């Protein structure tokens, strides 16, 4: 009778899980499984074995999108801003260098103690002489990375990797009004692809470059052109590595992206920076109003900004000029108009560095 009573909660109440926790745990586990599958595919490719395309079903895409990647990416971005003690910097950065094969001999500052946090390390600059800009060819690679796909745009579809396509209109968004562009556009009665081609005899081309976490994270102007308009799609932040790009159709249309459009000597030109998991922000140096991965923007929407105002005719960019940066590896998509005799000097899957030629006339 002197014993104290032990009060216990019902078993069901103790093990009660909220739907959010179930989604995070299930989605995270599935994402891990996909990472393992991607690793196996990479090993097969290295052995020269062609991997058949197997697209994700709607429920698989929905499950992956249930992972709060935007929230996790914002948290990662804040973590990157935390200043590391001087004694901890070299071990942390050395582990990253070893994991992703970073070549610090190319960095403008090789001393690891110089970088106060991970964000500064990711945005490290290169020595000027290690990335000479090709002066012979008209279009150069805007960044270091891996060529996923390139070629002509056909039937308003663009290949993100071989055999997996996405809609050109879904990716770029609705047609921009003529008042916001510096050049004349095609009549509205044509297809979306034909509306982008402004000169008779030209074709529309595309090139997809994947930036791995160990690559140089800044990107530059791929040619001499003028940026007239910026369109920002908040979207998701799913991984954009080649394995996932092969698995999820229209992956680049799901993800957050910043589309810069304008013109070059042959007509329409666009560069799109596609966000990805842990890419806390996409920064465009001349656009201070751009804020990516912000909770105030809702998925499925987009916001426009015109650089043609107050007697300005857009933002002129020179080939090789600094344009922007990622906080971690991601993807750049070029879509542009050029004459029919334009030729790419590339092979799918090859590694490329900023300044090297993509193609020319």
């Amino acid at each position: 009778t002197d014993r104290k009573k032990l009060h216990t909660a019902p078993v069901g109440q103790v093990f009660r899980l909220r739907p959010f926790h179930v989604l995070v745990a299930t989605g995270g586990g599935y994402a891990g499984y996909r990472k393992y599958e991607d690793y196996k595919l990479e090993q097969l490719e290295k052995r020269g074995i062609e991997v058949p395309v197997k697209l994700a079903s709607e429920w698989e895409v929905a499950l992956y999108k249930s992972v709060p990647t935007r929230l996790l990416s914002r948290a990662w971005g804040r973590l990157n801003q935390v200043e590391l003690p001087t004694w901890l910097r070299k071990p942390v950065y050395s582990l990253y260098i070893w994991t992703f094969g970073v070549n610090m001999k190319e960095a403008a500052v090789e001393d690891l103690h110089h970088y106060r946090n991970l964000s500064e390390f990711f945005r490290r600059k290169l020595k000027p002489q290690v990335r000479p800009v090709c002066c012979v060819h008209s279009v150069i690679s805007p960044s270091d990375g891996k060529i996923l796909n390139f070629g002509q745009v056909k039937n308003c579809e663009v290949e993100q990797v071989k055999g997996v396509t996405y809609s050109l209109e879904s990716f770029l968004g609705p047609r921009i009004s003529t008042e916001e562009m510096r050049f004349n556009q095609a009549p509205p009665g044509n297809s979306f692809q034909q509306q982008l081609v402004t000169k008779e005899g030209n074709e529309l081309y595309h090139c997809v470059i994947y930036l791995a976490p160990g690559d140089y994270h800044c990107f530059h102007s791929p040619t001499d052109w003028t940026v007239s308009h910026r369109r920002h799609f908040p979207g998701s932040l799913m991984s954009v590595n080649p394995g996932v790009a092969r698995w999820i159709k229209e992956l680049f249309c799901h993800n957050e992206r910043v589309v810069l459009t304008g013109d070059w000597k042959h007509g329409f030109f666009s560069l799109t920076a596609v966000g990805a998991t842990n890419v806390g922000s996409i920064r465009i140096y001349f656009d201070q109003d751009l804020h990516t991965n912000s909770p105030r923007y809702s998925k499925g929407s987009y916001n426009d900004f015109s650089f043609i105002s107050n007697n300005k005719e857009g933002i002129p960019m020179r080939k090789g000029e600094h344009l922007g940066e990622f906080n971690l590896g991601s993807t750049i998509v070029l879509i542009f108009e050029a004459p029919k005799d334009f030729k790419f000097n590339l092979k799918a899957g090859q590694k490329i560095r900023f300044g090297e030629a993509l193609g020319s006339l």
Side-chain angles (χ1 to χ4, degrees):
T1 57
D2 294 332
R3 294 178 181 175
K4 295 181 179 179
K5 293 182 180 181
L6 179 65
H7 296 277
T8 59
V11 174
Q13 187 175 350
V14 174
F15 292 98
R16 185 179 299 165
L17 293 175
R18 297 179 180 178
F20 175 77
H21 297 154
V22 174
L23 287 174
V24 172
T26 308
Y30 194 76
Y33 166 74
R34 289 306 314 173
K35 286 287 187 181
Y36 174 68
E37 289 294 310
D38 294 341
Y39 171 76
K40 292 198 299 184
L41 290 176
E42 288 178 4
Q43 297 304 309
L44 291 174
E45 288 181 344
K46 288 180 179 179
R47 291 162 56 186
I49 301 174
E50 187 173 349
V51 181
V53 174
K54 184 180 179 182
L55 294 177
S57 61
E58 290 186 6
W59 72 266
E60 287 178 309
V61 176
L63 183 60
Y64 190 5
K65 292 176 74 173
S66 70
V67 181
T69 51
R70 290 176 63 84
L71 179 62
L72 293 173
S73 297
R74 282 196 291 271
W76 175 254
R78 291 182 181 179
L79 179 63
N80 289 347
Q81 299 292 335
V82 176
E83 184 170 343
L84 297 176
T86 305
W87 62 269
L88 189 59
R89 294 174 189 176
K90 188 172 183 178
V92 170
Y93 301 147
S94 295
L95 177 62
Y96 186 92
I97 290 169
W98 176 79
T99 303
F100 296 107
V102 179
N103 184 2
M104 284 302 293
K105 292 183 179 180
E106 296 180 335
V109 180
E110 297 184 37
D111 182 12
L112 298 180
H113 296 100
H114 169 80
Y115 303 100
R116 295 174 298 177
N117 51 47
L118 284 167
S119 182
E120 287 188 1
F121 179 71
F122 294 147
R123 302 196 312 268
R124 64 192 178 276
K125 305 302 180 184
L126 298 181
K127 296 172 182 174
Q129 65 272 20
V130 300
R131 292 291 187 276
V133 175
C134 177
C135 298
V136 177
H137 294 80
S138 56
V139 184
I140 62 169
S141 176
S143 67
D144 290 5
K146 178 181 180 181
I147 301 295
L148 294 190
N149 216 303
F150 61 93
Q152 282 190 18
V153 177
K154 298 180 179 179
N155 302 319
C156 294
E157 293 281 325
V158 184
E159 280 193 319
Q160 59 191 29
V161 293
K162 184 178 180 181
V164 182
T165 63
Y166 56 93
S167 164
L168 178 65
E169 186 170 5
S170 297
F171 181 69
L172 295 178
R175 181 170 176 257
I176 300 168
S177 64
T178 306
E179 290 77 14
E180 297 184 61
M181 304 304 293
R182 296 175 66 252
F183 55 92
N184 296 324
Q185 293 183 307
N190 299 328
S191 68
F192 183 81
Q193 178 178 338
Q194 292 172 326
Q195 291 175 24
L196 298 180
V197 178
T198 63
K199 298 181 180 180
E200 187 177 353
N202 282 2
E203 297 288 348
L204 206 61
Y205 297 86
H206 78 281
C207 183
V208 184
I209 305 171
Y210 167 68
L211 288 75
D215 287 328
Y216 170 54
H217 289 14
C218 296
F219 51 94
H220 302 245
S221 176
T223 191
D224 295 335
W225 66 306
T226 300
V227 183
S228 304
H229 186 272
R230 179 258 292 161
R231 176 168 285 162
H232 172 217
F233 294 83
S236 301
L237 285 174
M238 295 184 283
S239 172
V240 293
N241 74 57
V244 177
R246 188 185 294 109
W247 178 56
I248 297 181
K249 183 178 175 63
E250 297 201 335
L251 171 65
F252 299 155
C253 298
H254 289 295
N255 271 15
E256 180 166 27
R257 58 198 181 278
V258 177
V259 182
L260 301 178
T261 54
D263 66 294
W264 69 319
K265 61 183 178 181
H266 298 298
F268 174 81
F269 198 96
S270 73
L271 180 148
T272 301
V274 183
T277 307
N278 289 340
V279 180
S281 66
I282 301 170
R283 182 182 174 193
I284 305 298
Y285 294 139
F286 59 74
D287 189 356
Q288 301 301 317
D289 295 323
L290 175 65
H291 300 284
T292 58
N293 196 13
S294 172
R296 63 177 177 170
Y297 296 128
S298 59
K299 294 181 183 179
S301 65
Y302 64 86
N303 56 86
D304 289 342
F305 185 86
S306 176
F307 297 108
I308 300 180
S309 60
N310 299 324
N311 298 322
K312 292 183 179 179
E313 296 186 353
I315 308 296
M317 298 296 301
R318 304 295 298 174
K319 183 168 64 174
E321 186 178 351
H322 277 83
L323 181 55
E325 63 188 34
F326 294 109
N327 270 0
L328 203 61
S330 194
T331 296
I332 288 178
V333 180
L334 301 178
I335 298 175
F336 58 93
E337 172 186 2
K340 291 183 178 179
D341 55 352
F342 181 88
K343 300 294 182 183
F344 283 103
N345 304 316
L346 303 171
K347 292 182 180 179
Q350 78 171 71
K351 294 289 291 182
I352 198 165
R353 304 201 303 176
F354 155 62
E356 294 179 345
L358 290 182
S360 189
L361 299 173

